[in-house]
Amino acid sequence: MERAGLRPRVDKALAAFLADRRVQLLTIDEVLADVADALEAFVLGGGKRLRPAFAYWGFRAAGGIDSDQVVAAVSALELVQASALIHDDLMDRSDTRRGEPSVHRRFAARHAEAGWGGDGTGFGDNAAVLLGDLALVWSDELLHSSGVDPADLARARPVFDAMRTEVTVGQYLDVLTQATGDTSLERAGKVARYKSAKYTVERPLLLGAALAGAPEPVSAAYSGYGLPLGEAFQLRDDVLGVFGDPAQTGKPAGDDLREGKRTYLVAAARAALGPAERDELESRLGDPGLDDSGVERLRALIRDSGALARTEERISSLTGQALAALAAAELDADARSVLLELADAATRRAV
């Protein structure tokens, strides 16, 4: 990621774009400074920048020539990510993101500080919906104003559109799965694939390939690498959602358990537990009042069932599949080495 100075270049492109949008908002009404402040803080305040990295190095590995215009184009993925996270935090009722108040909590607090009328929680929720939507609109603006050749953008547009559809319906499938209580491994795998796997790795790679005008065999190799690696990334995220250190993840311990996430990890535990333990898992999963001792008990059930070890094994297996697909592809050698590093960063991370 640090090769080609990519991360600071992505941050610079995002900062410049958001500064221009701030001017636009303030010409409408000065009160929209709150909106500009919140989106700048959210987008520029952290994040791994994995999606722009996969897109950029997918572009370079397919023979694309570096330019600030291409960096700006792939930076649009961070605005899609911001939209997804703002909405995800609202749907999950998460209090924090990266150690800071989530957007809906930020605006609820703004309501309370100002002493405005009406329901402060509802105001925060409404603001988060709208700011998430605005980030998605702006992702499109950043892509098409990046300065990339229009013919290259035309090739990339279908990939960008498909990605945004997939992550949105993947989020719906996640919400639906929690509502129906479907704990099958098949359903958990589909949610992981569409909510995260395709959107985190495969589609960014294919976006880079399209911008570079890559031949079909390269795109096929990217799918062979990106899909299993993206699923491994989501499985690592699921493990962190249950066993992660809040000091590193920036979210309260056991949030996924309180939210009732029907992940592969939970599905594997449910399939392996005996009737009494399975009933206990089912009865306590999704309890928003689950205290620290309750979190520890569910962690123990999941660990003792063998589900944690099974998930780790699947992460290793999927990562192996991804690396084998990458090894078989005809790609620029230097860029291929960065894609290998990104695979490690995506699956071995602690946050």
Side-chain angles (χ1 to χ4, degrees), residues 232 234-236 238-239 264-266 268-269 302 306-318:
Q234 181 57 48
L235 293 179
R236 173 60 62 212
D238 294 341
V239 170
Y264 179 94
L265 181 68
V266 169
I302 292 168
L308 178 58
R310 180 176 177 179
T311 302
E312 292 289 353
E313 289 169 3
R314 182 153 178 80
I315 290 171
S316 296
S317 174
L318 288 165

Short mmCIF file of all heavy atoms in Angstrom, two decimals, residues 232 234-236 238-239 264-266 268-269 302 306-318:
data_model
loop_
_atom_site.label_atom_id
_atom_site.label_comp_id
_atom_site.label_asym_id
_atom_site.label_seq_id
_atom_site.Cartn_x
_atom_site.Cartn_y
_atom_site.Cartn_z
N ALA A 232 -12.10 -14.40 2.60
CA ALA A 232 -11.18 -14.55 3.73
C ALA A 232 -11.11 -13.25 4.54
O ALA A 232 -11.06 -13.27 5.77
CB ALA A 232 -9.79 -14.93 3.23
N GLN A 234 -13.53 -11.07 4.88
CA GLN A 234 -14.74 -10.95 5.68
C GLN A 234 -14.72 -11.90 6.87
O GLN A 234 -15.18 -11.55 7.96
CB GLN A 234 -15.97 -11.22 4.82
CG GLN A 234 -17.29 -11.08 5.57
CD GLN A 234 -17.47 -9.71 6.21
OE1 GLN A 234 -17.26 -8.69 5.55
NE2 GLN A 234 -17.85 -9.68 7.48
N LEU A 235 -14.19 -13.10 6.67
CA LEU A 235 -14.10 -14.04 7.79
C LEU A 235 -13.18 -13.49 8.88
O LEU A 235 -13.46 -13.64 10.08
CB LEU A 235 -13.60 -15.40 7.31
CG LEU A 235 -14.54 -16.18 6.39
CD1 LEU A 235 -13.90 -17.50 5.97
CD2 LEU A 235 -15.89 -16.44 7.06
N ARG A 236 -12.08 -12.85 8.47
CA ARG A 236 -11.21 -12.23 9.47
C ARG A 236 -11.98 -11.12 10.20
O ARG A 236 -11.86 -10.97 11.42
CB ARG A 236 -9.96 -11.65 8.77
CG ARG A 236 -9.05 -10.84 9.67
CD ARG A 236 -8.50 -11.66 10.84
NE ARG A 236 -7.69 -12.77 10.36
CZ ARG A 236 -7.59 -13.93 10.98
NH1 ARG A 236 -8.26 -14.15 12.12
NH2 ARG A 236 -6.85 -14.91 10.49
N ASP A 238 -15.16 -11.05 10.73
CA ASP A 238 -16.10 -11.72 11.63
C ASP A 238 -15.41 -12.18 12.91
O ASP A 238 -15.97 -12.07 14.01
CB ASP A 238 -16.74 -12.93 10.94
CG ASP A 238 -17.61 -12.54 9.77
OD1 ASP A 238 -18.02 -11.36 9.69
OD2 ASP A 238 -17.89 -13.41 8.92
N VAL A 239 -14.19 -12.70 12.78
CA VAL A 239 -13.44 -13.13 13.97
C VAL A 239 -13.14 -11.92 14.86
O VAL A 239 -13.32 -11.97 16.08
CB VAL A 239 -12.13 -13.83 13.55
CG1 VAL A 239 -11.22 -14.05 14.77
CG2 VAL A 239 -12.44 -15.17 12.89
N TYR A 264 -20.41 -16.64 9.34
CA TYR A 264 -19.89 -18.01 9.17
C TYR A 264 -19.42 -18.57 10.51
O TYR A 264 -19.66 -19.73 10.83
CB TYR A 264 -18.73 -17.99 8.16
CG TYR A 264 -18.10 -19.34 7.91
CD1 TYR A 264 -18.53 -20.14 6.86
CD2 TYR A 264 -17.08 -19.83 8.73
CE1 TYR A 264 -17.96 -21.39 6.64
CE2 TYR A 264 -16.50 -21.06 8.51
CZ TYR A 264 -16.94 -21.84 7.46
OH TYR A 264 -16.38 -23.07 7.23
N LEU A 265 -18.76 -17.72 11.31
CA LEU A 265 -18.27 -18.14 12.62
C LEU A 265 -19.41 -18.63 13.51
O LEU A 265 -19.32 -19.69 14.14
CB LEU A 265 -17.55 -16.96 13.28
CG LEU A 265 -16.93 -17.16 14.66
CD1 LEU A 265 -15.74 -18.10 14.57
CD2 LEU A 265 -16.48 -15.81 15.23
N VAL A 266 -20.49 -17.88 13.55
CA VAL A 266 -21.66 -18.27 14.35
C VAL A 266 -22.33 -19.50 13.77
O VAL A 266 -22.74 -20.41 14.51
CB VAL A 266 -22.64 -17.09 14.46
CG1 VAL A 266 -23.98 -17.53 15.04
CG2 VAL A 266 -22.04 -15.97 15.31
N ALA A 268 -20.98 -21.87 12.02
CA ALA A 268 -20.15 -23.04 12.28
C ALA A 268 -20.28 -23.50 13.73
O ALA A 268 -20.31 -24.71 14.01
CB ALA A 268 -18.69 -22.72 11.96
N ALA A 269 -20.37 -22.55 14.65
CA ALA A 269 -20.55 -22.90 16.06
C ALA A 269 -21.89 -23.58 16.27
O ALA A 269 -21.98 -24.63 16.95
CB ALA A 269 -20.45 -21.65 16.93
N ILE A 302 -18.33 -20.50 21.27
CA ILE A 302 -17.84 -20.52 19.88
C ILE A 302 -16.46 -21.17 19.80
O ILE A 302 -16.21 -22.02 18.94
CB ILE A 302 -17.81 -19.07 19.33
CG1 ILE A 302 -19.23 -18.54 19.18
CG2 ILE A 302 -17.06 -19.01 18.00
CD1 ILE A 302 -19.32 -17.05 18.91
N GLY A 306 -15.18 -25.44 18.33
CA GLY A 306 -14.25 -25.64 17.22
C GLY A 306 -14.49 -24.68 16.07
O GLY A 306 -13.77 -24.71 15.07
N ALA A 307 -15.48 -23.80 16.22
CA ALA A 307 -15.83 -22.90 15.11
C ALA A 307 -14.73 -21.88 14.83
O ALA A 307 -14.49 -21.53 13.67
CB ALA A 307 -17.14 -22.17 15.42
N LEU A 308 -14.05 -21.41 15.87
CA LEU A 308 -12.97 -20.44 15.64
C LEU A 308 -11.84 -21.10 14.85
O LEU A 308 -11.34 -20.52 13.87
CB LEU A 308 -12.45 -19.91 16.97
CG LEU A 308 -11.28 -18.92 16.89
CD1 LEU A 308 -11.65 -17.70 16.05
CD2 LEU A 308 -10.83 -18.49 18.29
N ALA A 309 -11.46 -22.31 15.26
CA ALA A 309 -10.41 -23.02 14.54
C ALA A 309 -10.84 -23.32 13.10
O ALA A 309 -10.05 -23.20 12.16
CB ALA A 309 -10.05 -24.31 15.27
N ARG A 310 -12.11 -23.70 12.93
CA ARG A 310 -12.62 -24.00 11.59
C ARG A 310 -12.59 -22.74 10.71
O ARG A 310 -12.24 -22.82 9.53
CB ARG A 310 -14.04 -24.54 11.69
CG ARG A 310 -14.67 -24.89 10.35
CD ARG A 310 -16.04 -25.51 10.51
NE ARG A 310 -16.66 -25.78 9.22
CZ ARG A 310 -17.86 -26.34 9.08
NH1 ARG A 310 -18.57 -26.71 10.14
NH2 ARG A 310 -18.36 -26.56 7.87
N THR A 311 -12.93 -21.61 11.29
CA THR A 311 -12.91 -20.35 10.53
C THR A 311 -11.49 -19.97 10.16
O THR A 311 -11.23 -19.54 9.03
CB THR A 311 -13.58 -19.24 11.34
OG1 THR A 311 -14.92 -19.62 11.67
CG2 THR A 311 -13.62 -17.94 10.55
N GLU A 312 -10.56 -20.13 11.08
CA GLU A 312 -9.16 -19.85 10.77
C GLU A 312 -8.65 -20.76 9.65
O GLU A 312 -7.90 -20.32 8.76
CB GLU A 312 -8.29 -20.00 12.01
CG GLU A 312 -8.54 -18.95 13.10
CD GLU A 312 -8.03 -17.57 12.71
OE1 GLU A 312 -7.37 -17.43 11.64
OE2 GLU A 312 -8.30 -16.61 13.45
N GLU A 313 -9.05 -22.02 9.69
CA GLU A 313 -8.65 -22.95 8.62
C GLU A 313 -9.23 -22.52 7.28
O GLU A 313 -8.55 -22.62 6.25
CB GLU A 313 -9.12 -24.37 8.96
CG GLU A 313 -8.37 -25.02 10.11
CD GLU A 313 -9.04 -26.29 10.60
OE1 GLU A 313 -10.07 -26.70 9.99
OE2 GLU A 313 -8.56 -26.88 11.59
N ARG A 314 -10.47 -22.05 7.30
CA ARG A 314 -11.08 -21.61 6.05
C ARG A 314 -10.39 -20.34 5.52
O ARG A 314 -10.21 -20.20 4.31
CB ARG A 314 -12.57 -21.36 6.24
CG ARG A 314 -13.28 -20.94 4.95
CD ARG A 314 -14.74 -21.30 4.91
NE ARG A 314 -15.37 -20.84 3.67
CZ ARG A 314 -15.27 -21.47 2.49
NH1 ARG A 314 -14.57 -22.59 2.40
NH2 ARG A 314 -15.87 -20.98 1.43
N ILE A 315 -10.02 -19.45 6.41
CA ILE A 315 -9.27 -18.26 5.99
C ILE A 315 -7.98 -18.67 5.28
O ILE A 315 -7.64 -18.15 4.21
CB ILE A 315 -8.97 -17.35 7.19
CG1 ILE A 315 -10.26 -16.69 7.71
CG2 ILE A 315 -7.95 -16.27 6.82
CD1 ILE A 315 -10.09 -15.94 9.02
N SER A 316 -7.27 -19.62 5.87
CA SER A 316 -6.02 -20.10 5.27
C SER A 316 -6.26 -20.76 3.93
O SER A 316 -5.51 -20.53 2.96
CB SER A 316 -5.32 -21.08 6.22
OG SER A 316 -4.94 -20.44 7.42
N SER A 317 -7.31 -21.58 3.85
CA SER A 317 -7.62 -22.27 2.60
C SER A 317 -7.99 -21.29 1.49
O SER A 317 -7.51 -21.39 0.35
CB SER A 317 -8.77 -23.26 2.82
OG SER A 317 -9.18 -23.85 1.60
N LEU A 318 -8.85 -20.33 1.80
CA LEU A 318 -9.27 -19.35 0.81
C LEU A 318 -8.10 -18.48 0.36
O LEU A 318 -7.97 -18.16 -0.83
CB LEU A 318 -10.38 -18.46 1.40
CG LEU A 318 -11.74 -19.12 1.58
CD1 LEU A 318 -12.63 -18.28 2.49
CD2 LEU A 318 -12.43 -19.33 0.23
#
